[in-house]
């Protein structure tokens, strides 16, 4: 299969080593030295006698592949150094930046992202304040505050928000205090005004939570989406419906072809299509999946209407990836970028073989089977990566796609018409369609077994699943490869399975305003902490360690004194009693939670502790006081809000 793709799309021979250089970049000094050596070698071969050039022709291709690898490393290094600028201003220094995303609610109040005049981006957290709602995207923000690295909960199996921000070149955050900021209204760009106009029309003619879905379908504005609605779409595996993707751009492209079929000048038609496609791409925020589709459609349109030439879809896919990664090599880490390209590749490889398995006479049957084969082809190639990233598989993705894709297509065209005619009757029809689509998706998402969770797959598992997929395409010849991949995968995960049988772990979770501790031994877990601790967080961590609740044989708890195996833990959540004991209590950890009014020096009179832990149930100001005392007394401590959850094996 891989050889077939390379023969069909020779441009992939350029893209593959280039991508490898981005994923595994070498140090800059090595890259430059190696690049100079390869260039000298290539030029030297070019000036050799004809006989030697003929014999060394294969080596010239290898040299070119290595040069492309070096080019990918250089591009990745240059972009990372250009974007990764950490700033360290004084707390009283006034900073100014432009709001780049709408203000959203968060655990701390509100949050947004700003871009400073020096091009760095900062994640801004506002306290709960009604004045924050007046801030609009494109406004200027003036503020003072302490710039810190972006925090990460560190809870096992949890979403790594720090890495997610790093893929967007955001490395620092600021928690603003009331009165330490003000904003200034700015006119905004032309694209921003166009988007606000579209949002105003949608909210005028479509109400309720369906307005947020209509905004996401039309221009990719996801900030007004209802969380329960997004959860339903994720449960059914059709979240791509509410995220602007290549499907939306393909529908707009088809609409443009139909509207411009009267135009007799092909080159003018091609230029108009390209302008509209890229205008829509920029209007929606230019996400990775939309950029991929925009570049591919630009290549197709240029070849068809301007150059009058055809190209293979594999070459178009490879060229779009090459151009996008030259512009921003960090896109290779973007989940949307990865899933988008895999979905298209799956459709190219599997759609025709699947569609050819069955034949129908009726037109509606052929269309239904066409949509079914398309959904299966895309899902077959994306599900291994989906298991690795999300640990879940939507069992009813096929009926959900068969219902939601046609409905969302009708709704999208209806919204485009609404922008021009602006009639209440059309808005009412669209709202009825949106309500019906949401109801059907929610019903499918709540069926028994709609989502199989806890399917954590390692990198080796992903590779094995892709080998199995390729082996199935190869027919009988691929059965041996599939069995070999599964056996190798089993051997690789066997040591980890054996280690899980004897694991002993203590996890102090990092959740704001809550205290939660899990003691794990083997496949049994014992919880200590607040009853209101997030079940989702606990479920994710326990699925990561493959454990279930029970009673540990070596676990003892007497009030706030806990002993598990050879580890001792004391929880301090209130003021200390008067007087001091005659003998200190020796413990491994002292956990301070829920803002106790105690000083570290007083705790030393009660406990002989190896480490002090400050969890996220205490305020930042109190934690800062404890940290200062520990620094002065040279004591070992851990601050969960700053360093993430504490996980120790014993």
């Amino acid at each position: 299969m891989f050889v077939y793709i390379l023969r069909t799309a020779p441009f992939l021979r350029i893209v593959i080593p280039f991508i490898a250089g981005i994923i595994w970049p070498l140090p800059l000094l090595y890259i430059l030295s190696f690049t100079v050596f390869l260039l000298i070698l290539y030029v030297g071969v070019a000036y050799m006698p004809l006989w030697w050039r003929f014999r060394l022709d294969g080596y010239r291709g290898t040299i070119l592949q290595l040069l492309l690898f070096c080019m990918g490393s250089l591009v990745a290094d240059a972009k990372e150094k250009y974007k990764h600028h950490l700033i360290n201003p004084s707390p009283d220094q006034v900073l100014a930046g432009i709001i780049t995303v709408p203000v959203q609610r968060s655990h701390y109040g509100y949050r947004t992202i700003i871009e400073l005049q020096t091009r760095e981006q900062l994640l801004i957290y506002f306290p709960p304040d009604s004045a924050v709602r007046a801030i609009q995207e494109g406004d200027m923000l003036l503020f003072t505050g302490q710039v810190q690295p972006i925090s990460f909960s560190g809870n096992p199996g949890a979403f790594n928000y720090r890495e997610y921000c790093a893929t967007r070149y955001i490395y620092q955050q600021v928690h603003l205090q009331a009165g330490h900021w003000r904003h200034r209204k700015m006119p905004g760009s032309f694209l921003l005004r166009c988007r606000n106009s579209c949002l105003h029309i949608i909210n005028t003619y479509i109400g309720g939570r369906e307005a947020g879905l209509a905004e996401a379908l039309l221009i990719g504005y996801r900030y007004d989406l209802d969380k329960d609605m997004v959860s339903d779409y994720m449960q059914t595996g059709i979240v791509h419906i509410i995220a602007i993707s290549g499907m939306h751009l393909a529908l707009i492209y088809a609409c443009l072809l139909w509207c411009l079929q009267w135009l007799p000048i092909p080159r003018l038609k091609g230029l108009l299509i390209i302008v509209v496609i890229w205008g829509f791409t920029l209007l929606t925020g230019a996400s990775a999946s939309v950029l991929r589709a925009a570049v591919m459609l630009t290549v197709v349109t240029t070849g068809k209407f301007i150059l009058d030439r055809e190209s293979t879809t594999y070459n178009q896919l490879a060229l779009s990836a090459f151009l996008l990664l030259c512009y921003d090599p960090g896109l290779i880490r973007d989940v949307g970028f990865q899933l988008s390209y895999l979905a298209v590749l799956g459709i190219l490889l599997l759609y025709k073989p699947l569609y050819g398995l069955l034949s129908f006479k009726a037109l509606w049957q052929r269309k239904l089977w066409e949509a079914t084969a398309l959904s299966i082809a895309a899902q077959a190639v994306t599900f291994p990566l989906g298991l690795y990233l999300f640990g879940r598989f939507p069992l009813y993705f096929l009926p959900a796609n068969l219902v939601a894709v046609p409905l969302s297509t009708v709704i999208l065209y209806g919204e485009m018409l609404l922008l021009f005619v602006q009639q209440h009757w059309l808005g009412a029809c669209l709202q009825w369609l949106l309500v019906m689509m949401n109801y059907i998706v929610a019903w499918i998402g709540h069926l028994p077994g709609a989502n199989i969770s806890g399917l954590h797959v390692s990198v080796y598992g992903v590779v094995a699943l892709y080998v199995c997929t390729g082996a199935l395409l190869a027919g009988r010849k691929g059965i041996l490869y599939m069995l070999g991949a599964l056996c190798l995968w089993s051997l690789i995960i066997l040591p980890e399975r054996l280690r899980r049988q004897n694991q002993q772990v203590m996890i102090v979770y990092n959740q704001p305003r809550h205290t939660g501790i899990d003691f794990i031994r083997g496949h049994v877990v014992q919880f200590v902490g607040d009853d209101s601790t997030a079940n989702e967080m606990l479920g994710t961590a326990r699925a990561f360690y493959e454990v279930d609740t029970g009673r540990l044989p070596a676990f003892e708890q007497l009030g706030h004194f806990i002993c598990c195996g050879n580890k001792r833990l004391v929880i301090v959540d209130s003021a200390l009693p008067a007087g001091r004991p005659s003998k200190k209590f020796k413990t491994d950890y002292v956990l301070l939670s829920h803002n106790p009014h105690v000083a570290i020096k007083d705790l030393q009179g009660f406990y002989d502790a190896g480490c002090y832990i400050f969890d996220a149930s205490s305020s930042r100001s109190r934690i800062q006081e404890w940290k200062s005392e520990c620094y002065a007394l040279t004591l070992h401590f851990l601050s969960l809000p700053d360093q993430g959850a504490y996980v120790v094996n014993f």
Side-chain angles (χ1 to χ4, degrees):
M1 180 183 67
F2 186 68
V3 175
Y4 166 75
I5 297 175
L6 285 179
R7 288 178 178 176
T8 309
F11 200 83
L12 278 173
R13 300 172 191 172
I14 296 175
V15 177
I16 291 175
F18 181 76
I19 292 177
I22 292 174
I23 297 175
W24 300 289
L26 300 173
L28 183 60
L29 182 61
Y30 294 162
I31 300 173
L32 294 175
S33 304
F34 196 41
T35 303
V36 172
F37 170 74
L38 290 172
L39 287 172
I40 294 173
L41 196 62
Y42 186 80
V43 173
V45 172
Y47 279 95
M48 284 183 177
L50 182 62
W51 170 250
W52 282 102
R53 275 186 285 165
F54 178 76
R55 295 187 63 180
L56 298 175
D57 189 59
Y59 295 100
R60 293 175 65 189
T62 304
I63 294 171
L64 285 175
Q65 297 289 304
L66 292 174
L67 280 172
L68 286 166
F69 178 88
C70 292
M71 179 183 171
S73 295
L74 287 171
V75 170
D77 184 81
K79 194 71 174 183
E80 191 71 17
K81 287 184 176 179
Y82 171 75
K83 287 286 187 179
H84 195 165
H85 290 169
L86 298 181
I87 62 174
N88 189 25
S90 60
D92 57 348
Q93 180 180 347
V94 178
L95 299 176
I98 301 297
I99 305 291
T100 58
V101 300
V103 177
Q104 309 159 61
R105 285 193 172 275
S106 71
H107 292 298
Y108 303 99
Y110 298 91
R111 70 178 179 184
T112 187
I113 297 173
I114 70 165
E115 184 174 303
L116 302 178
Q117 296 173 345
T118 52
R119 309 298 293 177
E120 290 89 3
Q121 296 187 87
L122 292 178
L123 184 62
I124 303 294
Y125 287 97
F126 297 95
D129 189 350
S130 58
V132 179
R133 300 177 184 176
I135 300 177
Q136 299 292 327
E137 184 179 357
D139 291 351
M140 177 176 285
L141 184 71
L142 304 171
F143 63 94
T144 58
Q146 186 176 2
V147 178
Q148 302 171 331
I150 289 179
S151 59
F152 165 49
S153 70
N155 296 320
F159 175 67
N160 194 332
Y161 189 64
R162 181 185 296 162
E163 286 187 4
Y164 171 78
C165 290
T167 61
R168 286 152 176 77
Y169 305 104
I170 306 171
Y171 303 96
Q172 293 174 292
Q173 63 183 5
V174 181
H175 287 266
L176 298 181
Q177 302 296 324
H180 288 203
W181 61 272
R182 60 189 178 91
H183 78 285
R184 185 180 300 167
K185 288 291 183 182
M186 303 295 286
S189 63
F190 172 74
L191 286 174
L192 184 59
R193 293 196 298 271
C194 289
R195 194 187 68 180
N196 289 337
S197 177
C198 293
L199 294 176
H200 175 72
I201 293 172
I202 291 173
N203 283 280
T204 301
Y205 296 96
I206 301 176
R209 68 173 192 165
E210 284 73 28
L213 179 58
E215 294 167 356
L217 282 172
L218 182 62
I219 57 174
Y221 190 86
R222 302 187 299 272
Y223 304 105
D224 293 334
L225 282 170
D226 183 77
K227 290 185 179 180
D228 294 333
M229 183 193 302
V230 175
S231 177
D232 291 336
Y233 279 79
M234 292 183 67
Q235 284 284 104
T236 51
I238 56 170
V239 73
H240 60 90
I241 295 293
I242 57 178
I244 291 293
S245 60
M247 182 190 76
H248 298 76
L249 217 57
L251 293 174
I252 293 174
Y253 181 75
C255 182
L256 288 172
L257 289 178
W258 182 79
C259 294
L260 296 175
Q261 59 184 342
W262 55 271
L263 195 61
I265 307 174
R267 291 187 177 181
L268 180 58
K269 183 188 297 185
L271 288 174
L272 287 174
I273 291 174
I274 291 172
V275 168
V276 174
I277 288 294
W278 280 99
F280 177 79
T281 300
L282 297 175
L283 183 68
T284 59
S287 64
S289 57
V290 179
L291 283 172
R292 186 266 309 160
V295 174
M296 284 190 67
L297 291 176
T298 301
V299 173
V300 171
T301 304
T302 303
K304 184 176 181 180
F305 295 104
I306 299 177
L307 301 179
D308 195 21
R309 296 183 63 180
E310 297 288 340
S311 63
T312 65
T313 312
Y314 292 109
N315 272 337
Q316 296 164 11
L317 195 67
L319 178 60
S320 65
F322 181 77
L323 293 176
L324 290 178
L325 292 175
C326 284
Y327 167 71
D328 184 3
L331 285 173
I332 196 68
R333 297 176 292 175
D334 187 273
V335 176
F337 181 89
Q338 298 167 8
L339 292 176
S340 174
Y341 274 91
L342 283 175
V344 175
L345 188 61
I347 291 170
L348 293 176
L349 290 173
L350 302 178
Y351 170 67
K352 285 187 177 179
L354 284 173
Y355 185 73
L357 292 176
L358 299 174
S359 59
F360 299 95
K361 294 182 179 180
L363 178 62
W364 70 271
Q365 292 176 330
R366 290 199 301 270
K367 291 297 181 183
L368 181 62
W369 176 236
E370 181 181 325
T372 302
L374 199 69
S375 298
I376 295 175
Q379 191 70 36
V381 178
T382 56
F383 93 93
L385 183 61
L387 291 181
Y388 174 73
L389 294 172
F390 311 115
R392 59 176 64 183
F393 181 74
L395 197 60
Y396 303 134
F397 74 92
L398 187 55
N401 270 288
L402 293 178
V403 172
V405 171
L407 275 176
S408 63
T409 302
V410 174
I411 292 168
L412 178 60
Y413 283 136
E415 288 186 78
M416 293 167 61
L417 183 62
L418 180 65
L419 294 179
F420 294 99
V421 300
Q422 299 185 25
Q423 295 292 325
H424 286 283
W425 64 267
L426 181 56
C429 292
L430 291 174
Q431 182 155 7
W432 181 81
L433 289 174
L434 288 165
V435 170
M436 183 173 67
M437 184 170 70
N438 288 337
Y439 176 79
I440 296 173
V441 170
W443 179 76
I444 295 175
H446 288 85
L447 289 174
N451 199 282
I452 305 175
S453 58
L455 302 174
H456 294 284
V457 178
S458 64
V459 175
Y460 304 109
V462 174
V463 174
L465 289 173
Y466 278 121
V467 171
C468 292
T469 303
L472 289 174
L473 291 176
R476 294 181 179 178
K477 296 180 180 179
I479 294 178
L480 291 177
Y481 292 102
M482 182 174 66
L483 293 176
L486 293 175
C487 290
L488 184 60
W489 181 18
S490 301
L491 290 174
I492 289 173
I493 66 174
L494 181 60
E496 178 66 18
R497 293 288 182 180
L498 294 176
R499 190 184 67 82
R500 295 287 191 198
Q501 297 288 340
N502 302 311
Q503 64 184 347
Q504 295 186 72
V505 185
M506 182 183 76
I507 307 170
V508 185
Y509 290 103
N510 179 20
Q511 185 188 4
R513 298 183 292 276
H514 294 284
T515 297
I517 311 165
D518 263 346
F519 294 92
I520 297 173
R521 191 166 189 173
H523 292 289
V524 181
V525 60
Q526 179 80 40
F527 176 75
V528 176
D530 303 338
D531 294 335
S532 55
T533 304
N535 290 327
E536 183 179 355
M537 178 187 69
L538 296 176
T540 302
R542 292 169 183 178
F544 181 80
Y545 283 99
E546 300 175 359
V547 295
D548 199 1
T549 55
R551 181 66 184 175
L552 293 182
F555 178 86
E556 296 180 9
Q557 181 178 4
L558 181 61
H560 289 175
F561 297 86
I562 301 167
C563 179
C564 183
N566 61 351
K567 293 294 181 181
R568 290 183 175 185
L569 172 73
V570 177
I571 301 175
V572 178
D573 58 3
S574 59
L576 295 172
R580 290 194 176 189
S582 58
K583 186 178 180 180
K584 295 182 181 180
F585 181 80
K586 186 173 178 59
T587 180
D588 296 289
Y589 306 101
V590 172
L591 174 65
L592 287 91
S593 68
H594 294 91
N595 272 332
H597 292 277
V598 297
I600 300 297
K601 62 181 180 180
D602 294 332
L603 287 171
Q604 282 189 295
F606 282 80
Y607 306 108
D608 181 10
C611 179
Y612 292 89
I613 303 175
F614 316 135
D615 71 5
S617 65
S618 300
S619 65
R620 288 183 174 271
S621 58
R622 184 61 53 83
I623 290 176
Q624 190 60 43
E625 293 175 8
W626 293 332
K627 288 167 62 177
S628 300
E629 288 187 73
C630 288
Y631 280 127
L633 298 171
T634 64
L635 298 175
H636 184 214
F637 71 90
L638 292 167
S639 173
L640 302 192
D642 300 321
Q643 298 165 265
Y646 181 54
V647 181
V648 59
N649 295 284
F650 58 92

